[in-house]
Amino acid sequence: MKKNNFDYRPKQLFKKQITLHMFVLSGIIYLLIFSYVPMFGLIMGFKNYDIIMGVKGIFTSEWVGLKYFKEFVNDFNFGLLVKNTVGISVLKMIFTFPLPIVFAVMLNEMRSLKFKKVVQTCSYLPHFISWVIISGISFRFFSSTGIINTMLMSMGIVKTPVPFLNSEHTYWALVVFLDVWKEMGWWTIVFLAAVVGVNQDLNEAAAIDGAGRLKRIWHITLPCIKPTIVTVLILALGNLFGGGLSGSNFEQSYLLGNSMNKPASDIIQTYVFQVGLTQGRYAYATAVGMIQSIISLVLIFGSNFAAKKISGNGLF
């Protein structure tokens, strides 16, 4: 008779599962080295640390308190940076959050298994393409001599090329479109797993009672996957300043931003990169990045609290 895990003593069970524990340990070590140890550097945001002119270290530099935090809030770019960061992220949330849910339900309703697999594979493959490659593809498609403008002009829809890449008026729509194309299929996997886990007896009983497909989706499928939807929504809201579900604001703004669309593409992350690495103001950049992290933390706790009050489901 095969023994289950409850038949082993803790020491024997640990030896039996040593391989699994090694996998867990590697993940813990990764988090410690790359997530927790670097947090000691946050003290830099409260000190007058200058890597170029100063000879003192981070811990021995002069304490300046909230000097750099006040400087960022009073910066003339503060309003523009916050507007662009929040605006782009909110638009991504509006379009990239519900679409994977709809797409997952549509895939689940497909009768042809082969066609379903082909569609699902084609939809999540762009997730594995880096933003560097996607930016190159974007130049091929959306430049003034690109494929899109060539088609529009040949069809007589426009007389002059549309400045998709060089206009502040089209930048937000472009980055949201690219983010949806790249990430929708990947997040569909999460929601599709939840949809597949729905008890089919409920759907069969509803079908016998005369409920159509749309009613079964609305009254059975969506309520059953509500915990998954709430969890993903909380994580997305926590990453709102980073770019919604995918957190891709920095990559897009850095690769697709230029002097022509800067009023729409300049965000907090690119500002931190510029003042930190380009100008060497590491203390100031640390303070700005900390402000963004604190806001994200507040959003996570706030959205989790609201979700628990409204729906009874939360992340923790």
Side-chain angles (χ1 to χ4, degrees), residues 62-294:
E62 179 188 0
W63 181 272
V64 295
L66 301 177
K67 172 185 175 182
Y68 297 121
F69 296 88
K70 295 177 181 177
E71 182 180 345
F72 174 62
V73 174
N74 294 324
D75 191 286
F76 71 94
N77 286 318
F78 177 77
L80 178 66
L81 294 171
V82 173
K83 184 192 75 170
N84 291 339
T85 304
V86 175
I88 294 173
S89 298
V90 168
L91 284 176
K92 286 183 179 180
M93 279 287 299
I94 292 174
F95 290 97
T96 60
F97 180 72
L99 285 179
I101 302 174
V102 176
F103 192 50
V105 173
M106 291 173 62
L107 284 176
N108 186 63
E109 294 297 323
M110 287 184 179
R111 300 303 181 209
S112 174
L113 185 60
K114 291 184 178 180
F115 183 69
K116 176 181 177 180
K117 289 183 177 179
V118 171
V119 173
Q120 185 177 356
T121 303
C122 293
S123 66
Y124 72 70
L125 279 179
H127 170 79
F128 300 99
I129 304 176
S130 69
W131 279 109
V132 177
I133 297 176
I134 291 180
S135 65
I137 297 174
S138 301
F139 282 108
R140 292 288 184 181
F141 274 82
F142 297 104
S143 64
S144 57
T145 58
I147 298 174
I148 302 298
N149 272 314
T150 302
M151 291 178 57
L152 293 176
M153 293 177 67
S154 62
M155 295 170 62
I157 298 177
V158 296
K159 295 182 179 180
T160 57
V162 180
F164 292 108
L165 299 172
N166 300 321
S167 173
E168 59 180 285
H169 303 293
T170 57
Y171 176 79
W172 284 16
L174 176 64
V175 295
V176 171
F177 169 77
L178 292 175
D179 197 75
V180 170
W181 172 75
K182 186 177 186 296
E183 301 295 342
M184 184 181 72
W186 177 255
W187 285 101
T188 298
I189 298 176
V190 177
F191 294 113
L192 185 61
V195 171
V196 172
V198 175
N199 191 347
Q200 294 302 313
D201 293 339
L202 297 175
N203 282 312
E204 293 174 1
I208 294 174
D209 290 338
R213 183 175 296 182
L214 291 178
K215 286 188 176 181
R216 294 200 301 270
I217 292 173
W218 184 258
H219 294 287
I220 297 176
T221 303
L222 292 180
C224 287
I225 66 172
K226 184 173 67 173
T228 303
I229 294 175
V230 172
T231 301
V232 174
L233 179 61
I234 292 172
L235 294 174
L237 288 174
N239 197 35
L240 186 64
F241 271 61
L245 286 175
S246 62
S248 59
N249 279 0
F250 173 76
E251 291 90 344
Q252 288 181 311
S253 296
Y254 182 73
L255 295 169
L256 299 175
N258 52 58
S259 58
M260 302 294 291
N261 60 26
K262 188 175 182 179
S265 64
D266 213 7
I267 59 174
I268 294 178
Q269 292 93 326
T270 55
Y271 179 75
V272 170
F273 179 82
Q274 291 166 5
V275 299
L277 294 182
T278 306
Q279 301 177 18
R281 301 187 62 192
Y282 291 97
Y284 178 69
T286 301
V288 177
M290 199 184 307
I291 292 175
Q292 181 178 338
S293 300
I294 292 173

